[in-house]
Amino acid sequence: MSEFDRLKSDIDELVPDMVALRRDLHEHPELAFEEVRTSGIVAQRLRALGLEVQTGVARTGVVGLLRGGAGKADAKTIAIRADMDALPIHEQNDIDYRSTIDGKMHACGHDGHTSIALAVADILSKRRDELTGNVKFVFQPAEEMIGGAEPMIEEGAMEGVDGIIGLHLISDYPVGRVGVRSGSIFASADKFVVTIKGKGGHAAMPEASVDPIVIAAYIITALQTLISRETSPFSPAVITIGRVIAGTAFNIIPETAELQGTMRAFSKEHREKLVRRITEVASGVASAMGATCDINFIDGCPPCVNDAAMTEVVHKAAVESVGDGKVDDGDVVLTTGSDDMACFLKAVPGCYFIVGANNPAKGADYPHHHPHFNVDEDAMPVGVEVLTRAALEFLK
Ligand SMILES: [Zn+2]
Ligand SMILES: [Zn+2]
């Protein structure tokens, strides 16, 4: 059997266990930094495969190091990253492995990512003797709140790592396809809060007040012009005000109004420009109308930017795995969603790619973060194969 076929058959053999584990994790979702059961399973499986395991990294993160037996003195190390956390969503799927915990659900596919990375660890550990470098498996907590990657890096997870790869299963991208692209693929995400301080009073005597609700309305409209008038149609960006908090009764002008929004961009420069312009426009409008205004940006996540050389490695692996015709590198790979894989990609050169998991025939066609979200599990062996081939190629 050729090495190519040997890998395919090794993956086929692992599929039942990988799917069973994914379903087990799906039944027992854990939110950000609460991934105690999940990380326990991860650590125990990595130890059983003979990896050097570090637990409690960034609270509930796990790192497993597989040292290649054929490594030279200057052997390289590649990291494979998976996220483990679920979401505060009540699952509405009618499946026999439905979430057993009310109000918590794996509605983004991280149960799949964790199981896929463990399967890759299994396959590569069986090839340890031929492995010409090391593979570091990084299981991060708290991706959904953009809180897990940064502390893992601070605690040394990227030390000695030469490159990093990872994948996201995508429910609106057809199963069997792989999307790989150099440059920006996931957007930055910044939450912002604009607090307008006016002057409260009687709704019938507006001349004695400074109405923060009217000012808030102007600010909402003005902020949209940052996208429609100040952003090139070729550089996508989003500003959404998702929450407006103001007032207590119909006949009272409140003292303050608060706007909460999110801003997405695909480059560091564009992100910085929008942060500056949101601040200038909101304070300018507020001041022009006699109010003051505080703007706070919270929990920012940079864009995911793929390294060209690492992307080439993954692209080659993807073509070997699914064939040239099923690998995309166009706009379909872009998403205005964000992912804190971005932090790892800033720390070391890497490539984050997407694996299609959409299949309406199996009910796997709801958006991420939806109570009916699910993935076609046939996407999982595809993910395993691309990650494995890319790691082997990188370490050559
Ligand atoms: Zn998500
Ligand atoms: Zn996700």
Side-chain angles (χ1 to χ4, degrees):
M1 197 190 283
S2 72
E3 172 52 33
F4 186 85
D5 294 331
R6 188 160 70 97
L7 181 59
K8 291 258 186 207
S9 92
D10 280 4
I11 294 172
D12 286 347
E13 227 169 85
L14 273 177
V15 167
D17 175 63
M18 173 168 65
V19 168
L21 175 64
R22 184 250 156 179
R23 293 183 177 196
D24 174 72
L25 297 177
H26 193 89
E27 280 185 71
H28 303 95
E30 295 175 302
L31 301 184
F33 293 122
E34 294 172 2
E35 307 91 338
V36 175
R37 180 181 183 275
T38 310
S39 63
I41 292 171
V42 168
Q44 175 244 319
R45 283 189 170 236
L46 293 176
R47 278 195 195 104
L49 295 171
L51 273 66
E52 294 165 28
V53 177
Q54 217 186 326
T55 56
V57 186
R59 281 144 75 181
T60 43
V62 182
V63 176
L65 182 64
L66 174 66
R67 285 188 200 274
K72 316 156 273 205
D74 60 342
K76 288 192 283 186
T77 299
I78 187 166
I80 293 177
R81 172 272 199 181
D83 41 14
M84 303 186 289
D85 56 324
L87 286 155
I89 294 174
H90 189 74
E91 176 155 19
Q92 285 174 23
N93 282 321
D94 185 18
I95 46 177
D96 57 10
Y97 54 94
R98 187 177 175 275
S99 168
T100 56
I101 303 167
D102 284 353
K104 296 183 188 177
M105 174 187 178
H106 269 292
C108 202
H110 300 185
D111 46 352
H113 305 166
T114 299
S115 311
I116 288 169
L118 285 170
V120 176
D122 194 324
I123 286 172
L124 289 176
S125 67
K126 284 182 185 135
R127 286 166 171 71
R128 169 190 291 246
D129 293 344
E130 332 151 21
L131 213 56
T132 48
N134 312 312
V135 187
K136 200 182 233 193
F137 292 89
V138 176
F139 292 86
Q140 78 154 85
E143 189 289 318
E144 293 293 358
M145 51 175 279
I146 310 293
E150 200 67 65
M152 284 198 93
I153 296 165
E154 281 161 20
E155 292 177 33
M158 287 299 102
E159 270 163 32
V161 171
D162 301 293
I164 187 162
I165 52 177
L167 61 80
H168 208 303
L169 297 169
I170 300 287
S171 69
D172 63 359
Y173 181 48
V175 69
R177 301 194 76 85
V178 176
V180 199
R181 183 183 162 115
S182 184
S184 302
I185 53 152
F186 280 58
S188 62
D190 290 280
K191 176 184 174 183
F192 61 90
V193 177
V194 178
T195 310
I196 302 138
K197 289 176 192 149
K199 186 167 172 252
H202 198 295
M205 290 149 228
E207 73 281 8
S209 301
V210 176
D211 186 347
I213 291 182
V214 172
I215 297 168
Y218 272 96
I219 290 176
I220 292 169
T221 311
L223 291 181
Q224 290 311 314
T225 67
L226 299 182
I227 304 300
S228 67
R229 302 291 82 190
E230 295 191 25
T231 291
S232 157
F234 299 107
S235 309
V238 180
I239 293 175
T240 293
I241 301 294
R243 192 154 191 236
V244 179
I245 309 160
T248 50
F250 76 98
N251 57 355
I252 299 168
I253 293 171
E255 192 81 5
T256 63
E258 186 178 298
L259 305 176
Q260 297 184 2
T262 185
M263 187 269 283
R264 311 286 166 121
F266 282 94
S267 73
K268 179 174 165 277
E269 294 70 29
H270 200 180
R271 179 190 187 196
E272 284 166 1
K273 179 189 166 186
L274 286 173
V275 167
R276 175 172 59 80
R277 291 295 292 142
I278 287 171
T279 308
E280 287 170 0
V281 167
S283 3
V285 171
S287 124
M289 299 180 82
T292 59
C293 178
D294 281 341
I295 300 111
N296 282 305
F297 284 82
I298 305 154
D299 296 335
C301 177
C304 285
V305 183
N306 283 342
D307 173 74
M310 290 301 294
T311 301
E312 204 137 305
V313 169
V314 173
H315 191 268
K316 185 167 180 246
V319 170
E320 283 170 1
S321 304
V322 295
D324 209 3
K326 291 191 171 173
V327 180
D328 296 297
D329 59 5
D331 285 354
V332 69
V333 188
L334 297 177
T335 167
T336 49
S338 69
D339 196 299
D340 74 353
M341 176 72 175
C343 302
F344 292 118
L345 294 169
K346 267 177 81 182
V348 290
C351 179
Y352 201 36
F353 61 98
I354 60 169
V355 174
N358 171 281
N359 187 350
K362 294 185 185 172
D365 59 344
Y366 284 89
H368 288 249
H369 298 199
H370 188 282
H372 282 295
F373 171 86
N374 206 351
V375 295
D376 183 342
E377 288 162 334
D378 287 347
M380 296 172 66
V382 174
V384 174
E385 188 170 350
V386 180
L387 287 172
T388 306
R389 290 193 189 282
L392 292 169
E393 173 71 21
F394 180 79
L395 297 178
K396 259 185 194 165

